[in-house]
């Protein structure tokens, strides 16, 4: 058991060290290699700003030319897929795992977790400080306004915003 916790601490320390590097091409290639070692599938030319936190890395698929801005947080145990040419804004969070709320009288600490895949399509723009909750599908071409909390699926080419996020309008052709 101590070995397991030691490995967790080691991986977390490595994540912090690697992901604090600047977004130069060589540093981004190193970050992609690190994520692949954790079990992620990573496309070409992914840009990682400093301060990103992606844990555990397994069940993650990043398409080509994905852009992850400063301080993005992604939990991947439930599965996260981000399509080609998608931008994730500053301090946004993509959560694929959450705690289970136990029945009254039961301990919250022991309640366990629920894992649900997050699927983000191609050419999506997620604004700054957004929260994408477990089980959400965001369609191709969608735009999520800054500060939105996405709890339900977002159709293709929809512009959503608010808490919880609602359709503001559809993108024009």
């Amino acid at each position: 058991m101590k070995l397991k916790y030691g490995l967790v601490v080691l991986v977390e320390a490595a994540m912090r060290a690697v992901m604090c590097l600047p977004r130069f091409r060589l540093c981004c290639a190193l970050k992609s290699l690190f994520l692949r070692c954790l079990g992620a599938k990573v496309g070409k030319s992914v840009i990682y700003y400093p301060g990103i936190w992606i844990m555990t890395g397994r069940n993650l698929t990043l398409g080509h030319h994905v852009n992850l801005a400063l301080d993005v947080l992604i939990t991947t145990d439930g599965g996260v897929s981000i399509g080609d040419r998608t931008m994730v804004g500053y301090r946004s969070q993509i959560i694929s795992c959450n705690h289970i709320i136990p029945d009254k009288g039961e301990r919250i600490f022991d309640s366990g977790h629920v894992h649900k895949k997050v699927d983000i399509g191609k050419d999506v723009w997620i604004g700054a400080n957004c929260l994408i909750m477990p089980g959400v599908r965001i369609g191709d071409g969608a735009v999520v306004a800054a500060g939105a909390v996405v709890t339900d699926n977002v159709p293709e080419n929809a512009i959503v915003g608010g808490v919880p996020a609602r359709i503001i309008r559809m993108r024009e052709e």
Side-chain angles (χ1 to χ4, degrees):
M1 198 60 129
K2 289 182 181 181
L3 178 62
K4 177 183 174 185
Y5 290 123
L7 289 173
V8 168
V9 169
L10 182 63
V11 169
E12 288 177 345
M15 174 69 69
R16 180 67 68 200
V18 170
M19 292 301 178
C20 76
L21 296 171
R23 60 185 170 120
F24 298 129
R25 186 178 309 172
L26 180 61
C27 295
C28 287
L30 179 63
K31 293 174 187 184
S32 289
L33 177 63
F34 180 75
L35 288 173
R36 287 184 187 108
C37 289
L38 294 177
K41 296 176 183 157
V42 181
K44 294 185 281 186
S45 301
V46 175
I47 297 172
Y48 309 88
Y49 282 61
I52 291 172
W53 187 261
I54 299 173
M55 204 41 82
T56 58
R58 65 177 175 253
N59 304 320
L60 172 67
T61 302
L62 296 175
H64 304 302
H65 307 285
V66 170
N67 187 315
L68 302 174
L70 182 78
D71 293 335
V72 166
L73 180 142
I74 303 173
T75 64
T76 65
D77 284 345
V80 174
S81 176
I82 300 176
D84 299 342
R85 299 170 309 280
T86 290
M87 299 185 301
V88 181
Y90 300 107
R91 293 177 191 83
S92 288
Q93 300 177 43
I94 300 169
I95 311 295
S96 68
C97 176
N98 205 351
H99 295 279
I100 295 171
I101 299 174
D103 293 333
K104 182 180 174 184
E106 293 183 26
R107 291 172 36 128
I108 289 176
F109 191 82
D110 299 327
S111 63
H113 297 86
V114 61
H115 299 85
K116 294 182 181 175
K117 183 174 183 180
V118 175
D119 188 12
I120 300 170
K122 299 175 184 173
D123 298 305
V124 172
W125 176 15
I126 297 173
N129 293 306
C130 291
L131 180 59
I132 312 299
M133 296 302 292
V136 167
R137 162 92 173 100
I138 299 176
D140 295 345
V143 176
V144 180
V149 176
V150 181
T151 58
D152 289 316
N153 293 342
V154 176
E156 288 186 4
N157 298 309
I159 300 171
V160 300
V163 179
R166 300 283 184 244
I167 295 175
I168 296 169
R169 65 180 174 89
M170 300 303 286
R171 287 178 60 191
E172 297 176 12
E173 296 190 29

